[in-house]
Amino acid sequence: MIGGIGALQFKPAIDGADSAAPGLLQGGVGTQASESVGSSFADVLSHAATKTVNTLQGAEQMSIQALKGDADTRQVVDAVLSAQQALQTTIAIRDKVVSAYLEISRMSI
């Protein structure tokens, strides 16, 4: 399971194509070359959620291809493990956001 989340950085796509690989988010500081420095936190979360959904859909499509006999078992395992890692990362981010919200809501004004 994911131990903790530090600063977030999106892994740049190779040749402009989105990769459905593990490492959806990586710790570190910086931004993609194509993104502006002033992108909002909501945009970052939206992009992460979109990539997670795409990874899950890719794993589902790979599983369907395997049932048809068009995909290798190794490809299916890689796709499913990538989807699992992306989902665990998203759940950890959600838990941190909810925890931060609850902590802020408990503050006295």
Side-chain angles (χ1 to χ4, degrees):
M1 193 100 199
I2 297 172
I5 296 178
L8 302 177
Q9 174 186 0
F10 286 102
K11 196 172 177 182
I14 300 171
D15 294 330
D18 285 330
S19 60
L24 174 68
L25 301 173
Q26 292 190 349
V29 178
T31 60
Q32 283 186 353
S34 64
E35 289 184 352
S36 66
V37 177
S39 64
S40 70
F41 183 67
D43 292 340
V44 171
L45 287 180
S46 174
H47 184 66
T50 302
K51 287 197 66 123
T52 300
V53 168
N54 290 341
T55 302
L56 293 171
Q57 288 174 345
E60 183 179 17
Q61 289 299 320
M62 187 63 65
S63 297
I64 291 170
Q65 288 178 359
L67 290 174
K68 294 178 182 177
D70 296 336
D72 186 22
T73 305
R74 183 183 164 278
Q75 293 172 327
V76 175
V77 170
D78 287 344
V80 170
L81 289 177
S82 294
Q84 180 183 10
Q85 184 177 13
L87 186 60
Q88 286 177 344
T89 302
T90 303
I91 290 170
I93 291 170
R94 182 210 55 194
D95 291 346
K96 290 288 185 178
V97 169
V98 169
S99 174
Y101 173 78
L102 291 174
E103 187 175 332
I104 289 171
S105 69
R106 283 189 223 120
M107 294 176 127
S108 62
I109 298 177

